[in-house]
Amino acid sequence: MTSIIQIIQSYAGMLLGALGKTLLLTLLSLVFAMIIGMIFALMNVGKNRVFNLIGTVYVDAVRGVPLIVLAYFIYFGVPAGMKLLIPEFRMSALQAGTIALAMNCGAYMAEIIRAGIESVDKGQMEASRSLGLSYGKSMRLVVLPQAIRTMIPSIINQFIITLKDTSILSVIGFPELTNMGKTIMGNTFKSLETWAVVGIMYMIVIITLSKIAKRIERRVNRAR
Amino acid sequence: MQDRKVMIHVENLKKSFGKLEVLKDMSIDISEGEVVVLLGPSGSGKSTFLRCLNQLEQASAGTIVIDDSVITDKNTDINKVRENIGMVFQHFNLFPHKTVLENIMLAPVELKKMTKEEARSKGMQLLQRVGMETKAEAYPSQLSGGQKQRVAIARALAMNPNVMLFDEPTSALDPEMVGEVLQVMKELAADGMTMIVVTHEIGFAREVADRIVFMDGGYIVEQGTPEEIISHPKEARTIDFLNKVL
């Protein structure tokens, strides 16, 4: 117990800083994942066969590769290849981490958004089109606002998964919370205490987010 | 009827879903202001025919001309044509996330036909016409089926269409609500709207239709005035169908 307090006392600043990095990485990845998810979801629900194929290939490819392999590929593999074309090409761990997480989360997000869109009755699109509204306008004004309601619980769930997945990026040396745990353990050799502290920090953040998420979900459901 | 303008011209229309041929060869002319009721057993192609008229289903072959626009031509802007064709669905398809008035205002405002204020006053006027003005701020989930359908009719009318298509507008309603929707449709017919109605309401067909078209198996079997079709049908299939529904 005393050693836990010791670790917190000596490393509080660094741990909180690392937690901040974790949250930054999560947030950046989620923003890009939403954009990627929306683009591929719209490709998948449309009638264009080529877009359908692109959407399916992307989702299958990314979901078929473990995140850690994707991270290695982007952090080590892509720069190695790019150096042949542009000698001064470099990528920071944050950039590579964001790309890997956004690609990964984007694929799942695409499936969530696609399922949300498909959960809206087909008659809604037909009614909107019959009034003369274009496909895009109908999607934006009629279908998506209804789809979002069913999507929200899954999106929040995906947010939490992504937050936890940032720990995998400790392998490419990004100084997020898990990586900080490794450093502290290396310095103190107190693995039980270190990982307990790190685990509890994740838990507090995630439980807080889940509670906020539940509240948002309730409010959305109440507003019809 | 002869000297009136032809509003809808359909020539050799065919429609298949995969291997299933639903419309085999349909040709029909419908004049401005005419009320045509499509009768026929389920699966006869009535709804598909209606949905081809505003290209919710793409015709496999044939020509459709509505109000001088060749809508089967790929170069025709189908969105523009649809502004001119109102459609009422069996399951209403009101937008549940918008109020009654917002449902009506959406298309005219988005398509820049009217300003918000114009759309609002036009919307209220239409709601008055269908007897729903007190529910302008309600959401669809708070309405009965008959009320929903009357709002759906008002929504379709908001774009000032020249043609109204009704796809079994009373089939999903409780019996006591059928009357209020048919009443609105009767008034619309009396105002001279060109209407094509798929329905099983023989009473409505007899009273309001200028012409009844009986369809079966993707063809028009016979057509004529309500008197001719309902009281003196000639074809065996028509007689058979009427015996079942009357």
Side-chain angles (χ1 to χ4, degrees):
Chain A
M1 195 61 208
T2 46
S3 42
I4 283 194
I5 292 168
Q6 270 169 9
I7 284 177
I8 293 174
Q9 275 173 344
S10 4
Y11 294 100
M14 288 166 81
L15 281 167
L16 287 176
L19 179 63
K21 290 251 164 60
T22 291
L23 292 175
L24 171 73
L25 182 60
T26 310
L27 212 67
L28 277 177
S29 311
L30 287 175
V31 169
F32 290 116
M34 284 299 283
I35 297 167
I36 292 173
M38 187 59 87
I39 291 170
F40 285 103
L42 289 175
M43 280 188 169
N44 269 331
V45 296
K47 281 201 179 120
N48 187 312
R49 293 257 173 88
V50 179
F51 283 167
N52 290 166
L53 186 69
I54 296 172
T56 312
V57 166
Y58 176 80
V59 170
D60 285 352
V62 173
R63 290 205 303 189
V65 176
L67 179 55
I68 193 163
V69 174
L70 186 64
Y72 279 141
F73 180 78
I74 289 170
Y75 189 56
F76 297 114
V78 171
M82 289 298 285
K83 276 210 173 76
L84 303 174
L85 301 170
I86 313 162
E88 64 272 29
F89 185 88
R90 294 183 59 192
M91 196 174 343
S92 72
L94 176 63
Q95 286 166 343
T98 304
I99 293 171
L101 265 185
M103 280 180 72
N104 181 267
C105 180
Y108 291 95
M109 209 64 99
E111 284 298 277
I112 292 169
I113 296 171
R114 183 192 56 77
I117 290 172
E118 282 172 357
S119 76
V120 176
D121 182 56
K122 260 176 56 192
Q124 292 290 312
M125 176 59 92
E126 289 184 349
S128 180
R129 297 303 308 272
S130 79
L131 291 165
L133 293 164
S134 65
Y135 178 82
K137 275 200 163 139
S138 302
M139 196 48 102
R140 185 165 57 80
L141 299 167
V142 174
V143 177
L144 282 177
Q146 297 179 57
I148 281 173
R149 196 157 303 160
T150 53
M151 277 153 42
I152 278 179
S154 312
I155 288 182
I156 288 167
N157 193 33
Q158 188 58 46
F159 280 16
I160 290 169
I161 292 172
T162 301
L163 175 62
K164 290 204 250 184
D165 279 352
T166 55
S167 64
I168 291 174
L169 299 178
S170 61
V171 299
I172 58 169
F174 182 72
E176 45 66 64
L177 189 53
T178 302
N179 211 359
M180 185 54 65
K182 282 190 202 167
T183 308
I184 295 171
M185 202 191 68
N187 291 345
T188 62
F189 300 107
K190 293 200 162 71
S191 54
L192 176 67
E193 295 82 349
T194 307
W195 292 118
V197 169
V198 168
I200 287 167
M201 285 178 77
Y202 275 115
M203 212 189 291
I204 291 171
V205 172
I206 286 168
I207 290 175
T208 311
L209 282 179
S210 309
K211 289 260 184 281
I212 296 171
K214 274 264 147 48
R215 197 169 297 173
I216 296 173
E217 206 183 313
R218 263 204 303 273
R219 186 172 311 165
V220 170
N221 281 339
R222 224 178 315 136
R224 251 171 296 271
Chain B
M1 201 76 17
Q2 260 72 24
D3 48 351
R4 284 207 209 165
K5 176 189 168 188
V6 173
M7 182 62 90
I8 299 172
H9 170 75
V10 178
E11 206 176 301
N12 305 117
L13 173 66
K14 291 177 185 170
K15 172 68 189 174
S16 305
F17 296 101
K19 283 199 179 124
L20 182 69
E21 197 171 30
V22 180
L23 295 179
K24 288 178 181 141
D25 188 4
M26 278 197 62
S27 297
I28 189 171
D29 278 342
I30 294 168
S31 309
E32 189 172 10
E34 195 177 2
V35 177
V36 174
V37 168
L38 298 178
L39 290 182
S42 57
S44 58
K46 310 176 301 277
S47 286
T48 304
F49 171 66
L50 209 61
R51 291 160 61 82
C52 282
L53 292 181
N54 67 355
Q55 293 285 283
L56 283 183
E57 303 293 354
Q58 229 158 20
S60 308
T63 312
I64 302 171
V65 184
I66 296 184
D67 207 8
D68 300 328
S69 304
V70 185
I71 69 163
T72 38
D73 183 340
K74 281 204 165 58
N75 298 319
T76 306
D77 179 1
I78 190 63
N79 293 330
K80 268 269 165 293
V81 175
R82 282 181 179 142
E83 291 178 10
N84 205 18
I85 309 170
M87 185 158 195
V88 176
F89 300 85
Q90 180 178 359
H91 296 289
F92 331 122
N93 298 350
L94 292 180
F95 308 135
H97 59 303
K98 295 190 174 293
T99 66
V100 163
L101 190 57
E102 285 167 355
N103 261 274
I104 297 173
M105 289 167 59
L106 179 74
V109 172
E110 277 301 321
L111 297 169
K112 311 237 177 333
K113 288 261 150 157
M114 302 173 200
T115 65
K116 265 210 159 118
E117 290 67 39
E118 286 167 353
R120 185 178 300 276
S121 76
K122 167 97 183 173
M124 286 310 293
Q125 209 179 311
L126 285 167
L127 284 176
Q128 221 148 29
R129 187 163 162 190
V130 300
M132 289 293 297
E133 67 277 15
T134 57
K135 297 283 188 185
E137 301 305 325
Y139 281 88
S141 61
Q142 299 164 311
L143 306 179
S144 73
Q147 291 175 325
K148 282 182 196 167
Q149 199 58 298
R150 284 187 280 153
V151 171
I153 293 172
R155 178 176 70 180
L157 290 172
M159 293 297 291
N160 290 320
N162 290 336
V163 178
M164 284 284 281
L165 310 175
F166 293 86
D167 190 3
E168 303 204 26
T170 58
S171 299
L173 297 178
D174 291 337
E176 74 267 26
M177 291 170 183
V178 170
E180 63 191 70
V181 171
L182 293 182
Q183 186 55 39
V184 170
M185 291 168 63
K186 277 179 204 167
E187 287 164 18
L188 207 52
D191 285 348
M193 177 64 76
T194 310
M195 291 164 60
I196 306 180
V197 185
V198 173
T199 186
H200 298 294
E201 296 291 330
I202 304 290
F204 174 84
R206 194 199 297 271
E207 194 182 335
V208 183
D210 296 311
R211 175 161 41 141
I212 292 178
V213 174
F214 179 76
M215 284 180 69
D216 192 17
Y219 294 105
I220 295 177
V221 176
E222 66 177 311
Q223 51 180 314
T225 62
E227 173 69 12
E228 288 165 352
I229 302 297
I230 297 174
S231 309
H232 309 287
K234 292 187 201 69
E235 300 289 329
R237 277 186 288 181
T238 319
I239 295 165
D240 191 39
F241 173 77
L242 288 170
N243 279 339
K244 279 182 195 146
V245 297
L246 281 179

